[in-house]
Amino acid sequence: MDVQADAWRAREAKAGRVYDCANRSVAGFPFRLEVRCADPSVALFSQAAGTPLMNAKLDEILVVAQVWDPKRVIAEFKGPAVIADGRGPASFNVNWRVGEASVRGLPGPPQRADLVFEQPTIDRIEGGAAVPAARADHAELHGRLAEGTPSDHPVLETALQIASGSIQGSHPLLAEPFNTDIQARVTGLRDFRPKPWPERFREIQAAGGHVEIVESRIQQGELLAIASGTLTLTANGGIDGEVQMTVAGIEKVIPALGLDKMLENGVPQGTLDRVAPGVKSQDVNNLLGALDRAIPGLGKVVKQNANVGVALGINALGKETTLEGRKARTFPLRFADGVVVLGPFKVARVPPLF
């Protein structure tokens, strides 16, 4: 068994994935095989430059294979895990209550892989202190090889599920707990060898690859949304494409998007340039002044109810429909070289991916 394990580690090392184990034991015969590894570490190396991309150290890994299902391997992880970029100091501390994985297709090329974590937490390490980065009650990621092989232009089908997840230090919308279920298909990959993300994104762009969001559902409080569409990458590394969305309760997120600021105490041109390119600040302010002159106080009412006004504007963009028994609107969310556009509103900009 040790000989087979060492041979597998050697094959993985050639692909840029180096596994080490401070103390390894084998048990479970005759009906199953258990390999327990204490103080394991995983290092990913770039094939092009031979430089380390990531190092991770865990407390323990238990790998189990049943004799009646030898092509399926199950692993249990014991945290915490300390993750570092390359040879640098620790960047993240990851922990969980239960962590499991399974891989099907071994000893040949893996055909499917699954990861499941209960109560995962991710903290950034800043100045020696842990800063909360992400939390969830439950998270699972599934991947299936739909076409090709891991070493030759694989096409990947994935499914991600998160329950009560939140991401700190990013957009305010992501800091509040949400549930999501996303199914996607990724094309344009050259292989699964470890490499820097910018390099992988360049490969996808050069190959004309894309991410197809086959189906997705997100719920956060009163907000409920489903979406599908296709996203590509431009030569500049910006995200391009369109996602068709159906949303119920969008007025609940207007403040987080910043659209309500358009009607507060006049509208600076910079704000309009960000959220509604082409609209002139003076035109909007003149309209509010005219409302006040026609019916004293009306302009103030419009300002105070900015969320409702902007929500009505967004509702007018799409078509009325229902979503899980609730009134909803369906409309496109467009990406133009990294700029995220909701109707006439420019709501965000995604930095270039390479």
Side-chain angles (χ1 to χ4, degrees), residues 3 69-70 117 155 171 175:
V3 173
D69 193 8
F117 289 96
V155 174
H171 197 282

mmCIF file of all heavy atoms in Angstrom, residues 3 69-70 117 155 171 175:
data_model
loop_
_atom_site.group_PDB
_atom_site.id
_atom_site.type_symbol
_atom_site.label_atom_id
_atom_site.label_comp_id
_atom_site.label_asym_id
_atom_site.label_seq_id
_atom_site.Cartn_x
_atom_site.Cartn_y
_atom_site.Cartn_z
ATOM 1 N N VAL A 3 3.753 1.563 -1.250
ATOM 2 C CA VAL A 3 4.341 1.718 -2.581
ATOM 3 C C VAL A 3 3.352 2.402 -3.522
ATOM 4 O O VAL A 3 3.713 3.305 -4.290
ATOM 5 C CB VAL A 3 4.769 0.341 -3.138
ATOM 6 C CG1 VAL A 3 5.223 0.480 -4.589
ATOM 7 C CG2 VAL A 3 5.873 -0.253 -2.285
ATOM 8 N N ASP A 69 -16.305 -0.732 -3.795
ATOM 9 C CA ASP A 69 -16.414 0.467 -4.640
ATOM 10 C C ASP A 69 -15.035 1.120 -4.730
ATOM 11 O O ASP A 69 -14.828 2.245 -4.280
ATOM 12 C CB ASP A 69 -17.436 1.437 -4.039
ATOM 13 C CG ASP A 69 -17.827 2.541 -5.013
ATOM 14 O OD1 ASP A 69 -17.421 2.464 -6.193
ATOM 15 O OD2 ASP A 69 -18.519 3.491 -4.599
ATOM 16 N N PRO A 70 -14.056 0.421 -5.308
ATOM 17 C CA PRO A 70 -12.664 0.886 -5.251
ATOM 18 C C PRO A 70 -12.389 2.152 -6.049
ATOM 19 O O PRO A 70 -11.369 2.810 -5.820
ATOM 20 C CB PRO A 70 -11.879 -0.302 -5.817
ATOM 21 C CG PRO A 70 -12.856 -1.004 -6.707
ATOM 22 C CD PRO A 70 -14.190 -0.848 -6.034
ATOM 23 N N PHE A 117 -18.661 21.063 3.408
ATOM 24 C CA PHE A 117 -18.201 21.610 4.682
ATOM 25 C C PHE A 117 -19.401 22.077 5.498
ATOM 26 O O PHE A 117 -20.308 22.726 4.971
ATOM 27 C CB PHE A 117 -17.253 22.790 4.466
ATOM 28 C CG PHE A 117 -15.910 22.402 3.917
ATOM 29 C CD1 PHE A 117 -15.659 22.467 2.556
ATOM 30 C CD2 PHE A 117 -14.910 21.959 4.761
ATOM 31 C CE1 PHE A 117 -14.429 22.102 2.043
ATOM 32 C CE2 PHE A 117 -13.671 21.592 4.262
ATOM 33 C CZ PHE A 117 -13.429 21.662 2.898
ATOM 34 N N VAL A 155 -13.880 20.101 -20.098
ATOM 35 C CA VAL A 155 -15.084 20.919 -19.944
ATOM 36 C C VAL A 155 -15.703 20.515 -18.612
ATOM 37 O O VAL A 155 -15.984 19.338 -18.377
ATOM 38 C CB VAL A 155 -16.075 20.698 -21.096
ATOM 39 C CG1 VAL A 155 -17.380 21.451 -20.833
ATOM 40 C CG2 VAL A 155 -15.450 21.153 -22.413
ATOM 41 N N HIS A 171 -18.631 43.778 -1.076
ATOM 42 C CA HIS A 171 -19.810 44.610 -1.273
ATOM 43 C C HIS A 171 -20.742 44.478 -0.071
ATOM 44 O O HIS A 171 -20.881 43.382 0.492
ATOM 45 C CB HIS A 171 -20.537 44.189 -2.551
ATOM 46 C CG HIS A 171 -21.504 45.208 -3.058
ATOM 47 N ND1 HIS A 171 -22.749 45.385 -2.495
ATOM 48 C CD2 HIS A 171 -21.404 46.119 -4.054
ATOM 49 C CE1 HIS A 171 -23.384 46.349 -3.130
ATOM 50 N NE2 HIS A 171 -22.590 46.813 -4.083
ATOM 51 N N ALA A 175 -22.353 41.065 2.762
ATOM 52 C CA ALA A 175 -22.101 40.953 4.197
ATOM 53 C C ALA A 175 -23.311 40.409 4.950
ATOM 54 O O ALA A 175 -23.177 39.925 6.081
ATOM 55 C CB ALA A 175 -21.696 42.306 4.771
#
